[in-house]
Amino acid sequence: MSDTEALRAAADEFLVRYGGDRFDRLFATASGTIVTDDTGREILDFTSGQMCATIGHNHPAIIEAMAEAGRTAIHMFSGMIPQPVARLGQKLAREWMPAPLSKSLIVNTGAESNEAALRIAKLVTGGYEVLALGGSWHGVTGGAAAVSFASDRRGYGPPVPGVHAIPEPNAYRPAFAGATPEASALAGLAYGLAQYDMASRGAPAAIIVEPVISAGGVLVPPKAYFEALRQAADERGMLLIFDEAQTAFGRIGARTAAEHFGVTPDIMSVSKTLGGGLPVAATVTSSAIEAKVHARGFTFYTSHVADPLPALAGLAVLETIRSERLIERASEQGAYLRAQLEALQQRHEAIGDVRGLGLLLGVELVQDRHTKAPDHALGARTTARCLELGLSMNIRRRPERGAVWRIAPPLTVSRAEIDRAIAILDQALTECAATKD
Ligand SMILES: Cc1ncc(COP(=O)(O)O)c(C=O)c1O
């Protein structure tokens, strides 16, 4: 048995299988838009790792941030605030967050940043009821999983009580027949709110929303939907939480989705796109809310809260986005990629819809454009063929969420890499449609 085969066997024998996509090969390196597998084959990474490598894999700025942490400090007692953490809080408030969001809690993962947001909302309001959108994904830890509906919920016992799901907007499949996408989105919200008001025990706390419902099928709500959410939260004394794990820091062609939609939440959680591949996340709120929860004894004391290494990575990512004009690039390259995908849609009947913002795009595969029945079989075959041809993309696996590719390369992706990916997609769709059974 070769070393490569032996390691693959070790992965099978010694690792817990944790769901999602699993490949029969192992992986060795990642640089820019390219990952290589254990045979040395190069693959275009159009998922940016797990949506984190927005500045490209192993960017020199990240390597330097790691080296600087090595020269200064990697980790400290959680009560000691390292200098880079103060710098990151300041930079987020002064350059990236909409006013009045100016106070950051620096943690590690997306789920954690949402746990903190929910805890803050509960402490401020004294309530515990949370509204979340169908199809949403906020993480796998207790509180975050309770408000997630695109993840596996069965078999883990009762979730945190007080969560109410409201219908997610879906412009491709409006829930209210005959309505425009915007009217359907607003009608779904009004319906969901009426159900919640009926069921409420009088303890409202928060509404949590991904500005682009990503794992749920890359659904983009209209601006009016966010305005209505803001109003719904205010009327009920709830805090509005935006989970900007995927949308903050350039991916959608804006600093944040709050800026893009012109609606400011009370709390914003940011994570994946802040760390350039290292685990750093933040829960950001106003100084008024921070003062209130501090007075009530707010605690979120973890082993790695406010650690210097991830904070240095966050600073490096934010500086790189600025110096390489990656927000503008996301808009330009996103428009180019979208135009190429729309051109593919002209040639391939199976592409029912192309949607998204900036470089966060969704492509939905259907058996028939009139019935819009999802084509999961074609999705699975084509995704596998793309990988063989050198393109990694992510497809929704849950049958009820449609067969949707999430296409989100690093913001540093080149035109040549986009052209190559489109050629692979074209070939894979052509071959797989031809062998349809
Ligand atoms: C919108 C959103 N929020 C939160 C999370 C959870 O982040 P993490 O996996 O870092 O805990 C994810 C992860 O996919 C996500 O997409």
Side-chain angles (χ1 to χ4, degrees), residues 50 108-112 114 137-140 210 214-215 243 245-246 271-272 406:
Q50 193 60 41
N108 300 106
T109 66
E112 256 192 305
N114 288 324
W137 181 298
H138 298 292
V140 299
E210 288 167 81
S214 180
D243 175 356
Q246 300 195 12
S271 51
K272 293 172 181 284
R406 180 171 60 201

Side-chain angles (χ1 to χ4, degrees), residues 279-298:
V280 58
T283 308
V284 194
T285 192
S286 65
S287 57
I289 290 175
E290 192 272 345
K292 220 176 256 180
V293 288
H294 175 67
R296 293 181 187 172
F298 177 68

Side-chain angles (χ1 to χ4, degrees), residues 28-224:
T29 67
S31 176
T33 313
I34 304 289
V35 296
T36 58
D37 68 14
D38 58 6
T39 67
R41 228 164 54 89
E42 293 193 345
I43 296 160
L44 281 168
D45 178 9
F46 269 45
T47 66
S48 299
Q50 193 60 41
M51 300 294 293
C52 303
T54 42
I55 64 169
H57 289 284
N58 283 36
H59 192 287
I62 296 286
I63 310 288
E64 173 47 31
M66 291 168 69
E68 188 181 338
R71 289 190 298 271
T72 52
I74 291 171
H75 164 78
M76 283 182 175
F77 175 67
S78 296
M80 295 177 179
I81 305 288
Q83 290 173 322
V85 171
R87 281 208 296 279
L88 181 58
Q90 183 181 56
K91 199 172 186 67
L92 285 170
R94 294 204 174 148
E95 297 173 28
W96 293 88
M97 290 292 130
L101 305 187
S102 62
K103 288 266 196 173
S104 290
L105 170 74
I106 307 296
V107 290
N108 300 106
T109 66
E112 256 192 305
S113 64
N114 288 324
E115 294 289 347
L118 292 166
R119 284 168 76 113
I120 289 172
K122 288 176 185 179
L123 207 50
V124 166
T125 59
Y128 65 93
E129 290 169 359
V130 180
L131 295 179
L133 270 57
S136 53
W137 181 298
H138 298 292
V140 299
T141 56
V147 294
S148 295
F149 301 103
S151 59
D152 287 311
R153 292 170 67 88
R154 292 185 173 82
Y156 306 109
V160 177
V163 174
H164 298 256
I166 51 178
E168 72 277 24
N170 186 333
Y172 185 55
R173 292 191 174 80
F176 291 81
T180 63
E182 180 173 311
S184 177
L186 294 174
L189 177 58
Y191 186 72
L193 288 170
Q195 300 289 310
Y196 163 64
D197 290 338
M198 255 191 301
S200 173
R201 311 283 293 183
I207 301 177
I208 185 167
V209 59
E210 288 167 81
V212 175
I213 304 153
S214 180
V218 195
L219 305 173
V220 185
K223 177 180 163 65

Side-chain angles (χ1 to χ4, degrees), residues 2-17:
S2 70
D3 286 353
T4 302
E5 286 163 344
L7 264 186
R8 289 181 186 183
D12 284 340
E13 188 174 351
F14 299 116
L15 299 180
V16 170
R17 287 160 284 187

